[in-house]
């Protein structure tokens, strides 16, 4: 077995399959790639493309239903004889996991043990692999927590995972992965669903750690904009195969495979406003045998009338502002009590929403952007009275919702709906999709009988581009993007006039995200809905919104037309959010152009 002098890892013909009672699914289909010393390789693709299974195969962490059926994974440190990791016994591979190869998993909450403190979990890895004493391991853990910029390392050491934010848990995972100074670090979607500012800090931290430790890294993501910030080379995966490998500059300036072209086009552009985002089917189709055929870009994707001009934006804004507001929020406050005295009186509060006022007009999309903890979600739920506000007014169709008793509020709620962030947890796993969409119609007495309601459900499924066969299937049988479409159909079931979209695309692949965003805009224009679109991703909010509200610490930092807020922000906080948007793809193409 030979390994190039430049490479620390070589994967050749890797085949990983999962078996069930009825079929064998090939998750990774004979892929080959290499990783050089000190290099970062980005692996990009949608959910189901085989990215995570590839990383788990390298670590030999495939669950029992799966099996690595073929190939080689050669690993060698400089000057050492290469070893095929697939030929090692379970006891032998444990010596490499953690010490030579470490992994940061996608969801830190499920990767950290909830019954042990964060400090104990990191010290365990150090004592196991480096044979340090407990006191030495504790000192090293505190030093690592400081290195990954966790606030108050001693407090974090004693804290349990549920007591930390998403970004803090991810930093603990990075500290654990770095605890034994591995030669290879595998990061599997380490920034998915994190705020853009937290994401920027994590990416910068990983770059810094790689350089300080001369470490090689495999960075897995579905977002080409993110991978361009950290990677030297990129491998694009589609349905278990690598369809394209090249340097970052080449991938972005001269993509060859139609799938890569589609991924690049799915992200909302920052320098112009489009009527519709490109999606993967605009670039390729697949025949029954699975062969990909490249399509010519559709005319409406490349011609100028897919770009919304400044004059058109101004005309739409003017016509929206001429109407009476559908929603008026005045001096809204939602406080949560923290400490109480012996008489039950609250001594301090968390001011989640602190004196917020704005209006939303019929047919308008108002974007609500800010970091986690700024009050976005609480504001959305306070408007819908899912959380009762402390004070203020929420006037919808002339009624102050804050003063309405529950019985009247239930009637008004027919015209107010919400699409939650996680579609899986907002659908009952025991109910079929058809019943889940039909249920609110039955509760509110819509239509004369179930036959008419069924016809309405099938019509809604068609509107969100889901087949009629979805009616009798259960939520677990669908992908994340499909489940989100089902949630949109359910939100439309009661013919609402106002919908709150609460981080409804933040955890979706960029290609699926583009499809859902296009659908929301199409439905808004078709039915004249008004939206409050909540997100931490300012580029997505800019694409979706007519006006934008930036929130920070429960207050409104600034508000205005979406393009004006982005192009000419008035507050330092907004400028910080904008600067944190991944712009690696712009730099990559620009760098190539200069050459």
């Amino acid at each position: 077995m030979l390994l190039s002098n430049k490479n620390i890892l070589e994967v050749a013909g890797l085949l990983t399959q999962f078996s069930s009672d009825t079929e064998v699914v090939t998750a990774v289909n004979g892929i080959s790639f290499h990783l050089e010393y000190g290099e970062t390789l980005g692996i990009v693709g949608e959910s189901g493309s085989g990215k995570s299974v590839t990383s788990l195969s390298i670590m030999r962490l495939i669950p029992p239903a799966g099996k690595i059926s073929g190939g080689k994974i050669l690993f060698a440190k400089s000057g050492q004889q290469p070893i095929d990791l697939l030929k090692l016994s379970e006891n032998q591979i444990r010596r490499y996991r953690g010490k030579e190869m470490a992994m940061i998993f996608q969801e830190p909450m499920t990767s950290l043990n909830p019954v042990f403190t964060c400090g104990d979990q990191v010290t365990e890895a150090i004592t196991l692999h480096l044979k340090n004493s407990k006191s030495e391991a504790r000192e090293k853990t505190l030093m690592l927590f400081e290195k990954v910029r966790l606030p108050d390392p001693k407090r974090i050491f004693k804290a349990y995972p549920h007591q930390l934010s998403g970004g803090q848990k991810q930093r603990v995972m990075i500290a654990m992965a770095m605890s034994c100074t591995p030669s290879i670090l595998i990061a599997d979607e380490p920034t998915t669903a994190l705020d853009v500012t937290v994401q920027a800090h994590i990416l910068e931290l990983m770059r810094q750690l790689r350089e300080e430790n001369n470490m090689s890294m495999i960075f897995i993501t579905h977002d080409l904009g993110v991978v361009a910030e950290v990677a030297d080379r990129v491998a694009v995966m589609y349905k278990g195969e690598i369809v394209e490998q090249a340097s970052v500059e080449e991938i972005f300036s001269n993509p060859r495979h139609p799938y890569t072209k589609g991924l690049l086009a799915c992200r909302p552009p920052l320098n112009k406003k489009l009527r519709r985002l490109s999606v993967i089917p605009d670039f390729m189709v697949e025949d029954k045998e699975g062969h990909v055929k490249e399509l010519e870009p559709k005319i409406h994707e490349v011609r100028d009338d897919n770009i919304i001009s400044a004059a058109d934006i101004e005309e739409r804004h003017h016509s929206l502002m001429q109407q009476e507001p559908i929603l008026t929020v005045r001096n809204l406050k939602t406080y949560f009590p923290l400490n109480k005295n012996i008489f039950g009186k609250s001594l301090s509060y968390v001011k989640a929403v602190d004196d917020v006022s704005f209006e939303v007009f019929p047919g308008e999309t108002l974007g609500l952007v800010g970091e986690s903890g700024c009050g976005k979600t609480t504001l959305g739920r306070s408007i819908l009275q899912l959380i009762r506000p402390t004070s203020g007014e929420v006037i919808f169709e002339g009624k102050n919702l804050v003063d309405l008793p529950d019985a009247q509020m239930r009637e008004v709620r027919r015209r107010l709906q919400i699409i939650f962030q996680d579609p899986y947890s907002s659908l009952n796993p025991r109910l079929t999709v058809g019943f889940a969409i039909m249920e609110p119609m039955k509760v509110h007495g819509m239509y004369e009988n179930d036959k008419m309601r069924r016809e309405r459900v099938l019509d809604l499924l068609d509107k969100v581009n889901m087949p009629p066969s979805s009616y009798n299937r259960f939520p677990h049988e669908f992908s994340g993007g499909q489940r989100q479409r089902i949630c949109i159909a359910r939100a439309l079931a009661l013919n609402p006039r106002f919908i709150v979209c609460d981080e409804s695309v933040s955890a979706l692949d960029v290609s699926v995200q583009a499809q859902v965003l296009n659908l929301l805009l199409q439905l808004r224009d078709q039915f004249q809905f008004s939206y409050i679109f909540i997100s931490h991703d300012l580029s997505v909010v800019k694409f979706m919104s007519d006006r934008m509200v930036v929130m920070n610490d429960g207050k409104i930092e600034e508000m205005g037309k979406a393009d004006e807020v982005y192009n000419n922000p008035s507050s330092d906080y907004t400028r910080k959010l904008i600067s944190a948007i991944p712009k690696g793809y712009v730099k990559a193409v620009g760098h190539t152009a200069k050459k």
Side-chain angles (χ1 to χ4, degrees):
M1 288 184 291
L2 296 175
L3 199 67
S4 166
N5 291 332
K6 295 193 302 181
N7 300 339
I8 189 171
L9 185 76
E10 286 186 12
V11 175
L14 180 64
L15 181 68
T16 305
Q17 298 174 313
F18 290 84
S19 302
S20 68
D21 293 337
T22 56
E23 62 177 339
V24 176
V25 176
T26 300
V28 176
N29 192 11
I31 66 170
S32 300
F33 63 90
H34 68 273
L35 179 67
E36 297 181 9
Y37 290 100
E39 178 190 41
T40 296
L41 173 69
I43 300 182
V44 182
E46 298 172 281
S47 294
S49 63
K51 310 184 304 292
S52 294
V53 176
T54 299
S55 65
L56 292 172
S57 298
I58 294 170
M59 297 289 291
R60 293 271 306 272
L61 290 173
I62 296 295
K67 180 185 178 184
I68 300 175
S69 305
K72 295 178 180 178
I73 302 175
L74 302 180
F75 169 81
K77 295 182 76 172
S78 181
Q80 294 182 3
Q81 216 30 41
I83 296 166
D84 188 350
L85 300 179
L86 297 183
K87 293 185 176 179
L88 298 181
S89 68
E90 189 59 36
N91 283 333
Q92 289 172 324
I93 193 66
R94 283 198 193 106
R95 299 174 196 162
Y96 288 85
R97 281 195 214 117
K99 189 174 182 182
E100 297 293 351
M101 300 183 302
M103 187 166 176
I104 303 168
F105 295 93
Q106 178 172 357
E107 178 46 68
M109 191 65 213
T110 56
S111 307
L112 293 168
N113 192 321
V115 300
F116 291 104
T117 66
C118 296
D120 285 341
Q121 295 186 61
V122 179
T123 55
E124 181 186 27
I126 295 171
T127 53
L128 180 66
H129 289 290
L130 302 182
K131 310 302 181 188
N132 290 148
S133 66
K134 284 189 177 181
S135 60
E136 289 172 333
R138 174 186 166 83
E139 288 304 311
K140 184 164 185 178
T141 300
L142 290 170
M143 182 190 71
L144 284 165
F145 283 175
E146 195 171 326
K147 199 169 190 176
V148 299
R149 301 175 199 168
L150 279 165
D152 195 356
K154 290 182 179 179
R155 180 184 66 82
I156 300 289
F157 189 97
K158 297 176 182 177
Y160 290 89
H162 73 272
Q163 296 175 300
L164 307 183
S165 70
Q168 288 174 337
K169 284 194 284 279
Q170 198 62 286
R171 288 165 193 262
V172 171
M173 284 296 299
I174 292 173
M176 188 187 299
M178 295 301 302
S179 61
C180 299
T181 321
S183 304
I184 297 175
L185 178 65
I186 301 174
D188 185 8
E189 300 271 15
T191 60
T192 297
L194 294 180
D195 295 337
V196 285
T197 49
V198 177
Q199 173 179 269
H201 289 149
I202 296 290
L203 294 178
E204 177 57 36
L205 174 63
M206 295 181 74
R207 272 195 300 266
Q208 182 185 337
L209 291 171
R210 184 194 74 171
E211 291 168 7
E212 286 179 4
N213 297 284
N214 194 28
M215 181 176 63
S216 302
M217 187 159 69
I218 296 175
F219 192 97
I220 296 169
T221 182
H222 61 258
D223 191 339
L224 275 162
V226 169
V227 86
E229 295 276 309
V230 294
D232 301 301
R233 285 188 305 116
V234 181
V236 181
M237 289 194 72
Y238 176 68
K239 291 196 172 180
E241 299 180 356
I242 292 179
V243 296
E244 186 166 4
Q245 285 190 70
S247 68
V248 168
E249 289 85 355
E250 192 174 342
I251 285 285
F252 284 90
S253 62
N254 186 30
R256 292 178 181 157
H257 197 275
Y259 182 69
T260 311
K261 295 174 183 177
L263 284 179
L264 282 166
C266 286
R267 283 289 293 174
L270 298 170
N271 58 348
K272 56 192 171 186
K273 197 173 182 77
L274 301 181
R275 300 183 191 280
R276 176 186 180 276
L277 291 175
S278 297
V279 293
I280 300 294
D282 294 331
F283 293 85
M284 55 181 265
V285 292
E286 202 172 308
D287 62 23
K288 292 180 181 178
E289 286 75 38
H291 300 127
V292 170
K293 178 186 176 184
E294 183 169 6
L295 299 175
E296 288 295 320
K298 293 183 180 179
I299 292 174
H300 67 266
E301 290 306 318
V302 294
R303 67 190 185 189
D304 289 341
D305 65 359
N306 191 39
I307 300 172
I308 306 176
S309 67
D312 288 342
I313 293 171
E314 185 56 41
E315 183 182 343
R316 174 174 167 79
H317 180 76
H318 180 73
S319 64
L320 287 171
M321 297 301 115
Q322 296 301 306
Q323 307 172 90
E324 285 293 316
I326 189 172
L327 179 82
T328 301
V329 176
R330 292 195 193 115
N331 307 114
L332 193 67
K333 298 179 181 179
T334 304
Y335 295 173
F336 297 106
L338 275 179
N339 301 314
K340 296 183 178 181
N341 62 19
I342 57 173
F343 301 107
K345 183 179 179 181
S346 297
L347 300 175
S348 61
Y349 298 88
V350 172
K351 298 181 179 181
V353 178
D354 194 10
D355 200 18
V356 167
S357 301
F358 60 86
E359 297 174 328
V360 183
F361 295 88
E364 181 186 28
T365 299
L366 182 75
L368 195 56
V369 71
E371 298 173 283
S372 293
C374 71
K376 308 186 301 294
T377 294
T378 303
L379 174 58
R381 296 185 182 197
S382 297
I383 289 169
L384 299 178
Q385 305 302 298
L386 298 175
I387 298 172
R388 285 292 188 177
T390 307
S391 65
E393 296 180 321
V394 178
I395 299 170
F396 175 72
E397 296 181 331
K399 296 178 181 177
N400 185 4
L401 304 185
V402 176
D403 295 336
L404 284 185
D406 289 344
Q408 291 182 37
M409 187 63 224
R410 197 173 297 117
E411 173 60 29
V412 173
R413 197 165 274 135
R414 283 182 54 175
R415 300 186 294 282
L416 296 163
Q417 289 295 306
I418 185 168
I419 303 168
F420 293 100
Q421 178 173 357
D422 182 1
Y424 193 72
S425 63
S426 54
L427 290 169
N428 189 327
R430 297 181 179 182
L431 300 182
T432 63
V433 163
F435 191 87
I437 299 173
M438 186 191 293
E439 187 179 32
M441 300 184 206
K442 297 182 79 168
V443 168
H444 288 279
M446 292 180 66
Y447 305 103
E448 293 178 10
N449 52 51
D450 281 352
K451 182 181 177 183
M452 295 177 70
R453 293 185 192 107
R454 177 186 166 86
E455 289 174 0
R456 170 65 173 158
V457 172
L458 292 172
D459 179 55
L460 288 168
L461 287 171
D462 180 62
K463 279 186 169 58
V464 298
N465 302 320
M466 293 293 292
S469 59
S470 307
Y471 187 94
N472 292 314
R473 293 167 65 189
F474 290 88
H476 72 271
E477 300 179 67
F478 298 91
S479 69
Q482 289 172 324
R483 284 196 290 264
Q484 198 60 286
R485 289 169 182 271
I486 292 163
C487 288
I488 292 170
R490 187 178 61 177
L492 301 179
L494 298 178
N495 301 319
R497 293 197 62 202
F498 185 88
I499 300 176
V500 174
C501 301
D502 185 7
E503 299 274 16
S504 52
V505 297
S506 65
L508 300 179
D509 292 335
V510 286
S511 53
V512 178
Q513 182 184 88
Q515 293 172 7
V516 172
L517 293 177
N518 287 338
L519 174 64
L520 289 171
L521 287 181
Q522 176 191 331
L523 293 171
R524 181 196 70 182
D525 295 339
Q526 185 177 351
F527 297 104
Q528 282 298 295
F529 299 136
S530 300
Y531 288 134
I532 286 183
F533 191 88
I534 298 172
S535 179
H536 61 260
D537 189 337
L538 204 142
S539 60
V540 169
V541 172
K542 177 180 176 291
F543 167 74
M544 284 294 294
S545 306
D546 298 296
R547 289 184 301 137
M548 190 187 299
V549 173
V550 181
M551 281 192 73
N552 183 25
D553 288 335
K555 295 179 179 292
I556 292 178
E557 281 278 335
E558 66 178 294
M559 177 168 48
K561 298 175 188 174
D563 281 11
E564 287 183 7
V565 170
Y566 176 79
N567 293 319
N568 299 295
S570 61
S571 81
D572 291 338
Y573 180 75
T574 308
R575 281 189 280 273
K576 184 180 81 168
L577 289 180
I578 292 169
S579 66
I581 299 172
K583 301 180 180 70
Y585 52 96
V586 177
K587 288 188 284 187
V589 175
H591 179 61
T592 307
K594 288 175 185 175
K595 287 183 178 180

